[in-house]
Amino acid sequence: MKTPFITKEKAQEIIKTYPTPFHIYDEKGIRENARKLIKAFSWNKGYREYFAVKATPTPAILKILKEEGCGVDCSSYTELMMSEKCGFTGDDIMFSSNVTPAEDFEYARKLDAIVNLDDITHIEFLEKHGGIPETICCRFNPGGLFSISNDIMDNPGEAKYGMTRPQMSEAFKALKAKGVKHFGIHAFLASNTVGNEYYPALARILFELAVELKKETGVHIKFINLSGGIGVPYLPDGKPADIERIGKEVHWVYDEVFGPENMTDVAIFTELGRYMLAPYGHLVSTVLHLKHTHKEYVGLDACAANLMRPAMYGSYHHITVLGKENEICTHVYDVTGGLCENNDKFAINRSLPPVEIGDIVAIHDTGAHGFAMGYNYNGKLRSAELMLKEDGSVEMIRRAETADDYFATLIW
Ligand SMILES: *Cc1c(COP(=O)(O)O)cnc(C)c1O
């Protein structure tokens, strides 16, 4: 069972000031989770989490994570701008972009961010646009299928990211010749992984690659960036990742591979997005209409423009009808938004208690890749974002868009 972090009473109180739909985040949950993660990797002296800004690009969120000791992982000019404004500088920032424009590299270099190169041709491009830094990271893509104990996790061979194994050697040699002193290695081989095996398996691949590259090119390996990919249980009976165990298993692999090589100064970095935020956000919405045709429909005041994942990937997001948490799910509904797009459904054939017009629903696990993927199709406006603070008060951290915002870029 999934329990929302707000009650019906709390939602009704909030709605008096901030009408639905809105995304709301749980500060307490975010902080506690960040502390657990950092503790799980505290065995590694240089460990740092670089929160993937794209998951939840909202200053109030970035500031909380900064207070917890996190850096940021950026992929675009505006993500860099937001990070700079929130006080992140230098090696607080990882710049992990692909198909990177010149001005993005120039800006990242100006901020002295750590640049993670996605391709070997970017060496020359970066040299022209910003210059080659002393510390640099290269993104690895082993190709083929990525499996853990016979389970296919993902398909790196079809992924646009990263360099091949021979390109990694070539890139390290070329960068060393251009004066780079410290190297990092990055890979993102599977997304939203369940279970605890992904990081330890990825760590082994990258640690062994680090040993090889060090021997082959004589460079100093400064860090291994395990990137994102730890999943969250979207399903109500799913099990959350055991971060303590993941940290421990990465530690074992670290000692096994780096111990004999005298490489125990290598720092571990992560760039988690979903794991850091998804469970600590709800999209709160009001039931506008009930429709009874060939199926039973619940029509919400939120739509796929507020949360795209179900429409885009068919993702499951649990829905709680607030105040009916303990009622039996006797009805089956499609829960929809109002876009003129039949994929605008938050849930299909979902068992819920009997729903009435005016009910408030909490859609779970929207804290990452939720608001962030919002768009303006059908002229729908982006919602507000609110923070449920540790003292129980609620603060608006982004106002809702107005029609003026929507029209602001138009030329009549
Ligand atoms: C998206 C992304 C992440 C975060 O991924 P999650 O699945 O949210 O953990 C981290 N690093 C890079 C480079 C990414 O593109």
Side-chain angles (χ1 to χ4, degrees):
M1 187 171 144
K2 269 185 183 283
T3 313
F5 57 77
I6 54 167
T7 59
K8 180 183 177 187
E9 290 66 38
K10 186 75 189 174
Q12 284 172 325
E13 180 198 320
I14 297 168
I15 289 169
K16 284 183 202 155
T17 315
Y18 307 109
T20 56
F22 55 76
H23 284 266
I24 186 163
Y25 305 97
D26 173 21
E27 177 178 10
K28 187 160 176 279
I30 295 168
R31 286 189 188 276
E32 285 175 359
N33 184 61
R35 284 173 201 170
K36 262 203 299 199
L37 169 74
I38 290 166
K39 186 155 168 269
F41 284 91
S42 58
W43 54 267
N44 181 261
K45 213 163 64 181
Y47 173 73
R48 194 134 196 232
E49 152 69 6
Y50 289 86
F51 174 65
V53 173
K54 73 161 189 264
T56 324
T58 309
I61 300 278
L62 301 188
K63 285 177 190 165
I64 287 173
L65 291 172
K66 184 167 191 290
E67 285 172 12
E68 296 301 335
C70 299
V72 281
D73 167 41
C74 298
S75 300
S76 69
Y77 198 91
T78 47
E79 287 180 0
L80 286 170
M81 281 176 81
M82 186 183 288
S83 299
E84 184 185 18
K85 277 199 158 196
C86 290
F88 295 94
T89 54
D91 58 13
D92 296 336
I93 306 173
M94 184 71 58
F95 186 62
S96 255
S97 67
N98 65 95
V99 197
T100 313
E103 54 274 26
D104 291 26
F105 270 142
E106 280 158 12
Y107 188 23
R109 290 289 295 120
K110 200 185 89 190
L111 295 177
D112 209 15
I114 305 173
V115 174
N116 181 22
L117 291 180
D118 182 64
D119 188 46
I120 192 157
T121 63
H122 291 193
I123 296 172
E124 225 176 284
F125 193 75
L126 177 65
E127 196 170 27
K128 275 200 205 113
H129 303 286
I132 303 290
E134 255 193 26
T135 300
I136 206 158
C137 185
C138 289
R139 185 165 184 169
F140 175 51
N141 183 336
L145 291 172
F146 177 60
S147 315
I148 300 177
S149 44
N150 294 325
D151 285 342
I152 295 173
M153 305 286 286
D154 223 317
N155 190 353
E158 287 293 327
K160 65 172 176 170
Y161 310 107
M163 307 184 201
T164 65
R165 177 63 188 83
Q167 286 174 338
M168 289 294 286
S169 298
E170 213 184 310
F172 271 45
K173 284 179 200 152
L175 287 162
K176 187 185 174 193
K178 291 181 191 298
V180 174
K181 300 235 159 43
H182 311 287
F183 287 78
I185 304 174
H186 170 284
F188 191 160
L189 302 186
S191 188
N192 192 25
T193 56
V194 290
N196 302 317
E197 293 81 22
Y198 171 61
Y199 260 14
L202 174 68
R204 181 174 297 278
I205 292 171
L206 296 185
F207 295 170
E208 287 173 353
L209 175 61
V211 171
E212 284 175 28
L213 285 170
K214 186 187 171 181
K215 285 185 178 156
E216 204 180 309
T217 64
V219 302
H220 173 236
I221 308 287
K222 188 172 179 184
F223 63 85
I224 299 293
N225 186 343
L226 298 175
S227 191
I230 297 184
V232 299
Y234 287 100
L235 291 162
D237 55 357
K239 257 175 66 178
D242 181 348
I243 202 66
E244 206 180 309
R245 177 164 186 96
I246 292 171
K248 223 180 258 173
E249 289 195 16
V250 172
H251 192 180
W252 292 336
V253 181
Y254 186 95
D255 284 349
E256 186 192 322
V257 180
F258 284 153
E261 304 292 337
N262 263 330
M263 287 173 72
T264 49
D265 65 327
V266 175
I268 303 291
F269 294 165
T270 56
E271 295 172 344
L272 296 164
R274 191 184 315 273
Y275 179 77
M276 300 305 286
L277 252 299
Y280 313 108
H282 294 325
L283 171 57
V284 178
S285 182
T286 303
V287 175
L288 290 183
H289 296 283
L290 294 173
K291 178 166 177 169
H292 168 73
T293 54
H294 308 289
K295 293 186 89 172
E296 298 294 323
Y297 293 100
V298 172
L300 300 182
D301 62 2
C303 67
N306 304 111
L307 176 69
M308 196 187 202
R309 298 186 72 258
M312 190 166 177
Y313 316 112
S315 313
Y316 183 97
H317 278 266
H318 197 64
I319 299 176
T320 298
V321 184
L322 295 178
K324 298 184 178 177
E325 286 84 347
N326 298 315
E327 287 186 25
I328 300 166
C329 297
T330 50
H331 287 52
V332 175
Y333 298 101
D334 282 12
V335 181
T336 81
L339 294 184
C340 303
E341 254 298 340
N342 197 42
N343 68 0
D344 183 17
K345 293 181 178 177
F346 292 110
I348 296 170
N349 299 331
R350 182 70 57 88
S351 294
L352 291 171
V355 174
E356 291 156 88
I357 290 172
D359 277 347
I360 307 162
V361 303
I363 304 178
H364 291 250
D365 303 311
T366 66
H369 313 296
F371 178 93
M373 291 174 85
Y375 55 108
N376 283 123
Y377 195 51
N378 263 173
K380 295 287 185 181
L381 304 175
R382 287 183 183 79
S383 78
E385 289 180 290
L386 310 177
M387 182 68 74
L388 175 62
K389 310 210 5 175
E390 287 186 292
D391 64 6
S393 64
V394 171
E395 200 174 86
M396 181 163 68
I397 56 174
R398 183 196 301 262
R399 69 163 172 81
E401 281 181 350
T402 65
D404 282 345
D405 296 317
Y406 183 73
F407 287 117
T409 53
L410 297 178
I411 295 151
W412 297 87

